[in-house]
Amino acid sequence: MKNLIITLVLCFTAAQAWAEEATLEHIKVDTDLPAIARGVDDLMGNCHSCHNLKYVTYLDLEKLGIDRQKIDGWRGDQPINSPLTSLMSDEAAMQSFNLVPPDLSLMTKAREGGADYVYSYLLGYYSTPDGVVKNHIFPGTKMPDPLGMSTTTDHAQREQIRATAHDIVSFLYWAADPHEQERYRLGYYVIGYLLILTLLLYFVKKQIWSRLK
Amino acid sequence: MTNKIIHWIDQRFPLSSFVKHDLTEYPTPRNLSYWWNFGFLAGFVLVLQVATGVFLAMHYKADVSLSFDSIQHIMRDVNYGWLLRFMHATGASAFFLVIYIHMARTLYYGSYRAPRELMWWTGQGLLLMLMATAFMGYLLPWGQMSFWGATVITNLFKATPFYGEEVVSWLRGGFAVGDPTLTRFFSLHYLLPFLILGGVVVHLIALHTVKSSNPSGIDLAAKDNIPFHPYFTSKDFYGLGIFLIVYCLFVFFFPNSLMEPANNIPANPLQTPLDIVPEWYFLPFYAILRSVPDLVGGVVAMGLSVMVFSFMPYLDRSRIPGGAHYRPWYRMMFYLFMADMLVLGYVGHNPPGGNMLLIGRIATFFYFALFVLLPFLSKKEERWLIQKGLPPELKELMASDAKEKSEMHHRRNGDNK
């Protein structure tokens, strides 16, 4: 019994160490609409059956500029301002996976490594020689390989999966912080304004202090 | 017309004399460097935090089942809610940065020495209130780090003699951090800034009684003082411009760099995060807490590490003016202290164990050793400096200071008779 516990502990710590050693692949997230639109399409097909995005509504997608017909197809008879909740109930998820799949609205902000983490995780699936599917980035994951990275050997197909993962992460990145681009645009004006203001304040200060002998 | 109104007010309220005494004619040493800007900046950030906080509170919901969602509501749906929230969150870091520089300036130039002890102590009180406010505010988003940070810190009150468990439950409003904790933290997080505002008024009244210290370390003759307005208003506003550029770079371009990823996961009492890290401004003190193996010892060490600054007016026994400027030993100690703070911050950021624990213990020992050695070293340094012969400009400063003081003494005695 004692030996078994020690072995288990060792396995666990070894897995931990491995998780930390696995390096994340860097992703340059796309912020343009076509990539985000492809991403949400892929997400609805590959992730949304289990995962919620409860802070994103179909209305948000429409405002962003996603094709209305597609949105209508996804939402069915739900009102346009309903959130992107999955079809799977929490109870059903508990039965299949023994946990509720995490909400994806904030996923690229909720993990150390951000978008790089999610991208590397999606592509991190592989098959062991005994045919068991595992993940480099999150060894303890209960999610089945959603994009089929572990079973695909063909180079072109693998590249296709990478592109899909790239689009999905781009969409998730938008979903986690929908105002980011607006924030940058406003930021340039604010910093520009402050630079000019500060320069003027510098001259005011210099002028006033020059009165002192 | 304006004159008439002001005259009318002046007969009922000392408006003009207040503006004259505390602004347009308030005498300020002309040799103040830009390190003296940070008190004004701290006041500015306080107003900024109150202003953004009031508007955030209009959209925030203090309820364990709603608060995480309400933050997302602010971030996504409220018009410029993301701006308010990022300004407020970044503002907390900015507040500590500005206050720490303000304190470092006081330590470097020895501004805590007589007659400014009360300024230093009211400042210490303000720092404690700021820390409490920041700590309670961090619980409000109800993320993983919010919850576990509050759990760890309230747990420290177990160190209370005899009634440890009771005090912890009393603080939390239950056996664990939960809805009662969240609502009371929200209430106090809204209250404390106004107590801080009151404390700032006391701090400023004390300042305007003893006047600003200055890099020379002695009170300057009247001719070396200039009116606060327009000289220091213009200087402070220029400094404010620089500050705002740095602040806005963070608000608009790197707001998430100051946020822990785990806090974007809703609080889950059943799942402890891999390691619980406080915000950067608490890291050195957190490292000291963890360096002591015993809970009570750790809490005492952490409390002492914050409160030890209060003793500075007594620990520093040197009469050499000018703070670290004319005091090579003290200057060395100051820089060692700053370096030690950085080491402690680094240790606090990393999970404990192995080398980290050892480095943390050495740095903690060093932290307190500097304060313990200060009374002896400062006295010895003073003797050594006098024996060696003070630089002529310093002698001149001290002589003019002594002359000024004896004249003031005569004048005051004359008034009494």
Side-chain angles (χ1 to χ4, degrees):
Chain A
M1 187 63 200
K2 209 171 176 184
N3 277 337
L4 181 71
I5 293 174
I6 291 171
T7 319
L8 279 174
V9 167
L10 280 178
C11 283
F12 185 69
T13 43
Q16 283 298 96
W18 196 10
E20 277 161 26
E21 277 163 27
T23 46
L24 299 183
E25 235 178 295
H26 180 65
I27 175 178
K28 198 173 175 305
V29 172
D30 268 325
T31 52
D32 56 331
L33 185 58
I36 296 175
R38 286 196 305 273
V40 66
D41 214 357
D42 293 332
L43 177 124
M44 293 313 274
N46 293 302
C47 322
H48 187 244
S49 47
C50 301
H51 288 280
N52 288 331
L53 279 89
K54 65 170 175 172
Y55 299 120
V56 181
T57 65
Y58 292 104
L59 187 62
D60 293 333
L61 297 182
E62 198 194 2
K63 281 185 191 159
L64 181 68
I66 306 290
D67 182 21
R68 177 65 195 243
Q69 280 194 324
K70 278 204 164 149
I71 295 175
D72 286 342
W74 294 325
R75 72 184 171 101
D77 49 6
Q78 300 173 81
I80 185 80
N81 61 352
S82 25
L84 272 66
T85 38
S86 74
L87 300 171
M88 187 187 249
S89 69
D90 288 359
E91 292 77 34
M94 280 307 276
Q95 271 190 352
S96 326
F97 303 109
N98 206 18
L99 57 79
V100 180
D103 189 279
L104 296 183
S105 317
L106 285 162
M107 194 43 79
T108 60
K109 278 173 107 181
R111 295 288 181 278
E112 208 71 57
D116 290 351
Y117 175 90
V118 182
Y119 182 61
S120 310
Y121 168 54
L122 285 175
L123 299 177
Y125 284 94
Y126 67 100
S127 296
T128 60
D130 336 328
V132 186
V133 175
K134 287 195 165 170
N135 193 296
H136 286 300
I137 306 298
F138 183 7
T141 188
K142 287 188 178 164
M143 180 165 87
D145 181 4
L147 304 179
M149 200 62 175
S150 57
T151 48
T152 313
T153 45
D154 178 56
H155 180 72
Q157 275 181 333
R158 283 179 79 88
E159 281 308 303
Q160 184 53 44
I161 292 176
R162 297 181 77 84
T164 307
H166 195 285
D167 290 339
I168 291 177
V169 174
S170 295
F171 169 72
L172 287 175
Y173 188 81
W174 168 83
D177 195 352
H179 295 288
E180 192 197 58
Q181 295 307 311
E182 181 192 358
R183 193 175 80 224
Y184 289 161
R185 276 196 301 277
L186 191 58
Y188 288 121
Y189 283 110
V190 171
I191 298 291
Y193 171 83
L194 282 173
L195 283 172
I196 296 168
L197 178 73
T198 306
L199 191 68
L200 292 176
L201 285 170
Y202 171 70
F203 286 123
V204 169
K205 188 255 167 191
K206 218 176 143 187
Q207 175 72 27
I208 288 174
W209 279 69
S210 71
R211 292 180 207 162
L212 287 175
K213 293 267 148 38
Chain B
M1 185 60 194
T2 328
N3 280 345
K4 254 180 151 175
I5 295 173
I6 289 173
H7 183 69
W8 187 92
I9 295 172
D10 277 338
Q11 283 178 321
R12 291 156 181 84
F13 181 87
L15 179 66
S16 294
S17 63
F18 172 77
V19 170
K20 224 178 182 173
H21 181 264
D22 293 294
L23 208 59
T24 54
E25 285 178 13
Y26 175 67
T28 315
R30 63 189 291 168
N31 60 340
L32 296 189
S33 66
Y34 279 103
W35 294 114
W36 265 261
N37 275 36
F38 287 88
F40 167 76
L41 289 179
F44 178 84
V45 180
L46 174 60
V47 173
L48 198 69
Q49 289 301 84
V50 171
T52 49
V54 165
F55 284 95
L56 285 171
M58 291 176 192
H59 305 283
Y60 171 76
K61 294 190 174 59
D63 181 311
V64 289
S65 59
L66 299 172
S67 50
F68 193 88
D69 292 351
S70 75
I71 297 286
Q72 286 310 311
H73 167 66
I74 290 169
M75 290 296 289
R76 289 157 193 270
D77 307 329
V78 175
N79 289 334
Y80 293 100
W82 55 267
L83 181 57
L84 282 176
R85 198 225 171 181
F86 280 149
M87 282 175 76
H88 198 74
T90 311
S93 284
F95 210 154
F96 276 95
L97 179 70
V98 163
I99 286 294
Y100 286 162
I101 296 176
H102 189 58
M103 288 175 71
R105 190 271 292 156
T106 309
L107 287 172
Y108 185 88
Y109 288 104
S111 310
Y112 47 79
R113 290 200 262 183
R116 296 188 180 81
E117 299 96 325
L118 269 181
M119 294 222 58
W120 185 233
W121 293 334
T122 48
Q124 173 92 57
L126 286 168
L127 174 68
L128 292 182
M129 285 200 278
L130 174 66
M131 286 177 154
T133 311
F135 163 65
M136 290 191 284
Y138 196 60
L139 182 69
L140 305 186
W142 203 248
Q144 271 289 67
M145 216 44 96
S146 302
F147 178 87
W148 289 99
T151 300
V152 167
I153 301 299
T154 48
N155 211 29
L156 297 180
F157 286 86
K158 275 210 178 107
T160 316
F162 308 116
Y163 297 102
E165 298 282 345
E166 285 84 347
V167 169
V168 173
S169 316
W170 178 72
L171 285 171
R172 292 174 178 168
F175 291 114
V177 172
D179 202 53
T181 327
L182 179 63
T183 48
R184 70 187 50 190
F185 274 30
F186 178 56
S187 170
L188 294 172
H189 184 72
Y190 208 118
L191 168 71
L192 275 175
F194 295 96
L195 299 185
I196 291 179
L197 276 173
V200 168
V201 171
V202 176
H203 196 64
L204 283 178
I205 292 175
L207 172 67
H208 285 219
T209 308
V210 296
K211 306 288 188 285
S212 286
S213 64
N214 68 76
S216 83
I218 59 147
D219 293 326
L220 299 178
K223 67 171 169 54
D224 292 320
N225 285 313
I226 50 177
F228 189 83
H229 179 74
Y231 294 105
F232 285 98
T233 35
S234 62
K235 195 168 180 172
D236 278 347
F237 274 110
Y238 169 52
L240 178 65
I242 305 268
F243 165 80
L244 282 178
I245 291 170
V246 177
Y247 171 73
C248 286
L249 277 177
F250 273 97
V251 169
F252 287 97
F253 296 99
F254 314 103
N256 294 311
S257 64
L258 299 165
M259 290 188 185
E260 201 54 50
N263 229 25
N264 285 309
I265 305 169
N268 181 356
L270 301 176
Q271 188 188 50
T272 321
L274 270 180
D275 48 344
I276 301 170
V277 232
E279 295 289 83
W280 68 267
Y281 39 80
F282 290 136
L283 288 175
F285 308 110
Y286 189 60
I288 289 177
L289 169 78
R290 289 198 304 193
S291 293
V292 184
D294 171 57
L295 173 74
V296 179
V299 172
V300 169
M302 183 175 70
L304 204 61
S305 68
V306 182
M307 294 308 293
V308 71
F309 295 107
S310 306
F311 301 108
M312 277 307 283
Y314 301 114
L315 295 179
D316 181 6
R317 291 166 69 213
S318 168
R319 285 166 300 166
I320 307 287
H325 187 64
Y326 294 110
R327 299 170 55 190
W329 294 9
Y330 183 75
R331 191 165 62 231
M332 178 71 82
M333 288 173 87
F334 173 84
Y335 285 123
L336 284 175
F337 180 71
M338 291 292 134
D340 195 48
M341 271 293 207
L342 293 180
V343 171
L344 281 169
Y346 177 74
V347 170
H349 181 72
N350 284 289
N355 275 342
M356 237 2 116
L357 195 63
L358 183 68
I359 297 171
R361 285 186 175 155
I362 294 171
T364 302
F365 175 78
F366 200 70
Y367 185 100
F368 289 108
L370 280 173
F371 285 102
V372 170
L373 288 176
L374 184 58
F376 311 103
L377 286 179
S378 58
K379 203 70 202 165
K380 221 173 152 94
E381 178 195 47
E382 184 196 67
R383 262 187 241 125
W384 172 68
L385 282 172
I386 291 173
Q387 209 174 26
K388 201 181 74 154
L390 298 169
E393 78 262 27
L394 184 61
K395 270 189 184 154
E396 217 170 279
L397 276 175
M398 287 170 85
S400 79
D401 186 37
K403 201 172 140 224
E404 188 95 342
K405 282 220 172 96
S406 81
E407 272 172 15
M408 236 166 75
H409 189 67
H410 282 301
R411 252 180 276 140
R412 209 173 286 152
N413 283 356
D415 286 348
N416 287 346
K417 271 169 199 165

